[in-house]
Amino acid sequence: MDERVAGALRLLPDYLGQHVLLSASSLLLGLAVSAPLVVLARNSARVRWPVLTFVSVIQTVPSLALLALFYPLLLALSSLSLKLFGHGFAALGFLPSLLALTLYSMLPIVRNGVTALLNIDPAVMEAARGVGMTPRQSLFRVELPLAMPVIMAGIRTSAVWVIGTATLSTPVGQTSLGNYIFSGLQIENWVSVLFGCLSAVALAVIADQLLALVENGVATRRPLRVWLGLALLVVGVAAAIVPTTHGAKSAYVVGAKSFSEQYILADLMADRIVRAGSSATQRIGLGSVIAFKALSNNEIDAYVDYSGTVWANVLNRKDSLPRAQMLDEMTRLLKEKYGVTLLGSLGFENAYALAMRGDQARSLNVRSIADLAGHAGELRLGTDFEFLARPEWAALRDRYGLAFREERQYQSTFMYRAVASREVDVISAFSSDGRIAAYDLVVLEDAKQVILPYDAIVLLAPRRAGDATLRRALMPLIGAVPIEQMREANQMVDRDENKVSPAQAAQWLAEKAGLAGLN
Amino acid sequence: MSQPIIAIERASKSYRNGQQFALHDLSLEIEPGTFVAVVGASGSGKTTLLKVMNRLAEVDSGTVRVSGQPVNDRPGHELRRSVGYVFQGIGLFPHLSVAENIGITPRLLGWDSAKIDARVEELADLVALPRNVLRRLPAELSGGQQQRVGVARALAAKPAILLMDEPFGALDPITRDALGSEVRRLHESLGLTTVMITHDVLEAVLLADRIVVMRAGRIVADGSPQSLVSGHPDADVRAMMEMPRRQAERVRAVLERNSHG
């Protein structure tokens, strides 16, 4: 079997179980919330319009944004609850995903339910009153049974939507089949992306068919089919969930943002923790800002960030300091403001850098950003999703007088592809990225030192500040990863031929750092 | 004169803010055991009159008494379980079997299943419904059979009063005639008080003990079929009530012409 397929299969029990648990919970909660709304909307035209509008508007919010928005909301609620009641709750992972998907699941259920109930033959409704039914008896004995086929159709649509959309819960820290897709996209493992898609599709088809069996049983008054369908659904959900809940809870959670280097470093840290005699799970594919918030909220225990990112995005500093001074200042401020411990720097820098194709740089005779300024008007800039919103882009633009002909944003993998295939000319590359060498790109010199230092730093959650095991496990990594090795490890994961998994690359890094056999 | 089983006193009900009356200061008393037919043009208030008797509609003013008790003294659904009602559109529950349709009111009243099953079979025999249709869904029955189910359902909880809103309107003439006679027979054998709305004057004349003619929410004529057919001061009533006799004469003329031909 292909190594990538085998690797994906190993992850399947965990990913599938979490995905099923999330989807089933969201759908059940969605049903529980929708049912009274449907009845209210049936009873009152005044409630109907706002309810139907609300569920429709929810549907128009892009699902990824809906998931992302629940994180800050829950974080605020959690800190409020911490102040009022003495304990908060996890704002990352399951809860925001559950709430967003629940809202998402409601439209087909509510709309079909209301439509079906409002379209019941008035003669039958009058007969229900005429034989002596109370409004409640009429609802449960006549209207709901008659509306059930249409309601079931809505539930089926909803189930398919939820299972598909649940793949987008990975960036808010919920493990799902989306982990295959997001990590596969980052490390260009298309087998993984395809595996994730196909698993989600298969899951949706199975759920849809079982619900169809229930629907058919309801419509044709065959209780056996209804119970069979429901029983198979319950058994299926239970079978998928059991393996994930069975294992003991890990002692530590290591976080990672969504790119190759982060996956490798998370594997490296998790491996160190395991070697130190403890256990670790990973929350990978976190959004850049979400990762720090999750850490300061004790939802993950450790992750690697970059000094310039923390300086600008977390501490909101617009100024720049010399490297060592910045690290000292940052260590003090993170402790003071967030209780976060800056354990130290891994030894390499992953800075933003403007890069262009070697052949084009040579023909235009461009070596530095200052040289680039004269040609920028004819060139196109490709960036990742956050670069253009960062203060250093504004600083670069102003200090060097950069004005490109066009600016385009890409997911970082496609950004490199875009410059290689000449769709853009200049990109916001990452200095530790193996693809700079692989695609023969030239990093342009920043003579004015506008771009901040981006030392890779290990951060620990407030509750882990004095944790001896974690320190013992991670301290040996400080200063142990030189830039050349990080670049090569990244390249091993990103290249098209002889690709290795992030775990294998982490193993290679550990060996190079002389940590492979040690505790 | 015995105490009326249904007594309506100065009842009014209007639509469109009093612009149009369904009942206009209407009073009516019905003796137990009477078969009353209510006739009148569309919009004359016939259906409203029937519906206020079991509170499917409420009067704006006036009182309605059933068995001596004002209908508003108890919850509407309790009243309706004690009064049989046959709907114009039949209104069988499409998701319930014929047996379940017939047994619905006893079930709401909390009868035990064995008693309900026995009652359903008894009713099937009573309305001449083959036993083998009991397990089917209403949609699988003919129109005539469906209306037999409607009548059986109305009678299931042994009501003293049977209200029927144009029960045979959608049936073919032969089925209609047969069912009409059977309902009259049930009325006799069960000792019912029956109020039936019809637009068919001949049906009213043939089945009822008493005919009530309505126009614009008022009763414009009220009497035995004999008295109304043999003449009435109101020209419209007279024209309507003489219709069966005129038709019968025309039929006789046709027959005679043919036999002489």
Side-chain angles (χ1 to χ4, degrees):
Chain A
M1 197 189 317
D2 185 296
E3 162 60 21
R4 286 174 294 184
V5 176
L9 275 174
R10 274 195 297 278
L11 296 167
L12 189 62
D14 185 37
Y15 288 4
L16 182 68
Q18 303 259 17
H19 197 98
V20 168
L21 179 65
L22 175 65
S23 309
S25 312
S26 306
L27 194 61
L28 281 177
L29 190 60
L31 266 173
V33 176
S34 302
L37 283 181
V38 167
V39 175
L40 278 176
R42 172 200 72 139
N43 290 345
S44 155
R46 223 184 288 172
V47 177
R48 195 174 309 142
W49 189 83
V51 164
L52 288 175
T53 307
F54 173 72
V55 292
S56 304
V57 166
I58 287 291
Q59 211 64 51
T60 64
V61 178
S63 29
L64 188 58
L66 188 65
L67 280 153
L69 284 172
F70 264 97
Y71 179 69
L73 180 70
L74 286 172
L75 202 62
L77 287 177
S78 174
S79 61
L80 189 69
S81 138
L82 193 64
K83 272 187 202 137
L84 295 177
F85 309 112
H87 42 92
F89 49 84
L92 199 65
F94 190 72
L95 200 57
S97 314
L98 174 72
L99 295 178
L101 289 176
T102 296
L103 281 180
Y104 216 64
S105 73
M106 286 169 58
L107 177 67
I109 303 177
V110 170
R111 190 183 275 168
N112 281 34
V114 170
T115 308
L117 284 177
L118 288 178
N119 281 303
I120 289 174
D121 183 0
V124 173
M125 302 262 288
E126 186 170 52
R129 285 184 72 209
V131 301
M133 287 189 195
T134 60
R136 201 185 155 77
Q137 286 169 331
S138 172
L139 178 65
F140 284 101
R141 286 170 183 259
V142 177
E143 295 161 61
L144 281 177
L146 288 176
M148 200 44 82
V150 180
I151 294 176
M152 278 304 303
I155 293 173
R156 279 175 65 185
T157 307
S158 181
V160 171
W161 284 8
V162 164
I163 289 169
T165 313
T167 55
L168 297 177
S169 61
T170 298
V172 294
Q174 166 64 32
T175 302
S176 73
L177 292 171
N179 284 33
Y180 287 124
I181 300 169
F182 281 91
S183 67
L185 195 55
Q186 289 300 331
I187 63 179
E188 296 193 51
N189 178 349
W190 306 118
V191 172
S192 173
V193 173
L194 199 63
F195 195 92
C197 293
L198 291 178
S199 321
V201 166
L203 186 63
V205 168
I206 292 169
D208 185 54
Q209 286 307 304
L210 290 179
L211 287 168
L213 187 66
V214 176
E215 180 186 348
N216 179 277
V218 168
T220 57
R221 288 168 54 88
R222 290 194 175 102
L224 196 68
R225 285 190 192 182
V226 177
W227 292 117
L228 182 66
L230 289 177
L232 286 173
L233 279 170
V234 170
V235 168
V237 169
I241 291 174
V242 165
T244 65
T245 53
H246 202 65
K249 248 187 132 78
S250 290
Y252 297 96
V253 181
V254 176
K257 299 184 187 187
S258 58
F259 49 93
S260 311
E261 180 172 298
Q262 287 274 320
Y263 298 144
I264 297 169
L265 293 174
D267 275 317
L268 185 59
M269 288 193 287
D271 184 54
R272 290 298 307 161
I273 294 169
V274 172
R275 282 170 186 272
S278 188
S279 58
T281 45
Q282 297 182 29
R283 286 267 183 88
I284 62 170
L286 299 175
S288 179
V289 185
I290 284 180
F292 184 84
K293 288 201 171 135
L295 183 85
S296 63
N297 207 33
N298 287 316
E299 290 167 33
I300 57 176
D301 295 312
Y303 83 107
V304 172
D305 211 325
Y306 304 93
S307 52
T309 304
V310 175
W311 188 254
N313 289 4
V314 177
L315 299 172
N316 289 315
R317 297 281 292 252
K318 304 267 186 289
D319 56 333
S320 182
L321 289 179
R323 184 182 221 122
Q325 214 178 324
M326 180 192 270
L327 276 177
D328 288 347
E329 175 88 349
M330 197 179 308
T331 307
R332 190 179 61 79
L333 286 173
L334 287 180
K335 197 71 176 177
E336 201 174 285
K337 286 187 161 177
Y338 301 98
V340 166
T341 304
L342 195 163
L343 195 63
S345 166
L346 288 173
F348 72 92
E349 197 188 2
N350 183 2
Y352 271 114
L354 292 186
M356 59 196 297
R357 285 183 305 280
D359 59 344
Q360 193 178 29
R362 284 185 288 275
S363 74
L364 292 175
N365 201 17
V366 171
R367 287 199 191 131
S368 67
I369 301 177
D371 298 340
L372 178 68
H375 299 281
E378 303 126 46
L379 300 176
R380 291 156 301 180
L381 174 69
T383 70
D384 66 4
F385 295 129
E386 57 176 293
F387 183 71
L388 294 176
R390 296 175 72 105
E392 61 234 277
W393 162 239
L396 273 177
R397 196 183 50 201
D398 297 346
R399 297 280 298 280
Y400 288 104
L402 292 174
F404 287 95
R405 196 179 90 201
E406 196 186 332
E407 289 157 10
R408 291 190 196 169
Q409 296 186 32
Y410 295 88
Q411 190 271 339
S412 58
T413 296
F414 293 120
M415 177 181 77
Y416 283 99
R417 297 263 164 169
V419 72
S421 64
R422 300 175 184 271
E423 282 172 52
V424 295
D425 306 300
V426 180
I427 60 167
S428 62
F430 311 108
S431 62
S432 63
D433 205 307
R435 287 173 288 200
I436 290 176
Y439 288 131
D440 184 28
L441 302 181
V442 172
V443 172
L444 304 180
E445 191 193 351
D446 172 23
K448 296 183 183 174
Q449 294 196 321
V450 175
I451 296 175
L452 298 171
Y454 279 85
D455 289 304
I457 48 178
V458 176
L459 301 178
L460 305 184
R463 66 168 177 181
R464 299 299 188 193
D467 190 302
T469 311
L470 198 59
R471 278 176 182 269
R472 187 154 45 86
L474 301 184
M475 269 321 277
L477 295 176
I478 301 306
V481 186
I483 180 75
E484 296 77 19
Q485 286 172 16
M486 191 68 239
R487 234 177 235 164
E488 190 163 349
N490 285 337
Q491 179 56 17
M492 287 159 73
V493 171
D494 288 333
R495 67 192 171 200
D496 293 332
E497 305 290 325
N498 298 320
K499 237 177 174 31
V500 305
S501 71
Q504 288 166 316
Q507 196 58 40
W508 180 85
L509 266 185
E511 280 163 22
K512 286 281 173 190
L515 296 170
L518 297 177
N519 274 338
Chain B
M1 187 167 150
S2 60
Q3 156 130 14
I5 188 166
I6 297 169
I8 297 174
E9 196 181 333
R10 307 204 57 178
S12 288
K13 182 171 182 67
S14 62
Y15 296 105
R16 297 186 204 157
N17 294 326
Q19 297 287 298
Q20 200 171 343
F21 280 91
L23 300 179
H24 200 160
D25 198 19
L26 179 147
S27 296
L28 175 70
E29 292 191 346
I30 297 172
E31 315 278 306
T34 319
F35 195 123
V36 180
V38 181
V39 297
S42 306
S44 60
K46 305 186 296 284
T47 296
T48 306
L49 176 66
L50 204 66
K51 284 182 176 174
V52 300
M53 294 179 189
N54 75 344
R55 280 184 71 190
L56 278 176
E58 309 276 353
V59 292
D60 296 339
S61 63
T63 54
V64 179
R65 285 190 174 79
V66 169
S67 307
Q69 190 185 17
V71 290
N72 287 29
D73 280 9
R74 54 177 171 159
H77 64 269
E78 278 181 25
L79 172 73
R80 289 191 281 273
R81 288 172 192 177
S82 71
V83 175
Y85 199 107
V86 180
F87 293 90
Q88 187 170 11
I90 311 181
L92 296 182
F93 303 120
H95 61 302
L96 299 182
S97 71
V98 167
E100 287 167 324
N101 264 283
I102 295 174
I104 189 75
T105 305
R107 191 164 297 282
L108 296 175
L109 288 166
W111 293 18
D112 66 57
S113 298
K115 196 176 162 195
I116 294 174
D117 291 347
R119 179 65 179 154
V120 168
E121 296 195 347
E122 185 187 358
L123 284 159
D125 296 346
L126 207 59
V127 301
L129 204 58
R131 291 272 177 96
N132 65 2
V133 305
L134 287 178
R135 301 186 61 176
R136 296 191 194 154
L137 290 177
E140 301 169 56
L141 271 56
S142 70
Q145 282 179 325
Q146 287 184 11
Q147 196 51 289
R148 286 173 195 272
V149 177
V151 173
R153 181 174 69 178
L155 296 174
K158 304 188 174 171
I161 298 171
L162 178 63
L163 307 177
M164 297 195 287
D165 189 357
E166 299 210 25
F168 314 126
L171 302 180
D172 65 89
I174 294 171
T175 311
R176 181 184 184 121
D177 190 49
L179 254 177
S181 308
E182 285 177 46
V183 165
R184 175 72 213 196
R185 188 171 46 74
L186 284 172
H187 166 86
E188 307 280 350
S189 62
L190 300 176
L192 295 169
T193 302
T194 304
V195 184
M196 178 180 79
I197 293 176
T198 177
H199 63 265
D200 182 343
V201 178
L202 179 60
E203 190 171 76
V205 167
L206 293 176
L207 297 179
D209 304 317
R210 177 178 170 190
I211 296 177
V212 169
V213 184
M214 287 190 70
R215 189 166 64 212
R218 297 174 199 268
I219 293 174
V220 291
D222 180 359
S224 66
Q226 296 85 338
S227 68
L228 291 181
V229 170
S230 51
H232 193 271
D234 184 292
D236 289 344
V237 174
R238 201 165 55 238
M240 184 164 75
M241 295 309 301
E242 283 173 354
M243 182 89 74
R245 198 169 58 190
R246 282 206 309 274
Q247 282 175 334
E249 280 163 6
R250 276 158 59 194
V251 170
R252 196 178 310 128
V254 169
L255 289 173
E256 282 170 8
R257 194 187 318 144
N258 283 355
S259 63
H260 292 182

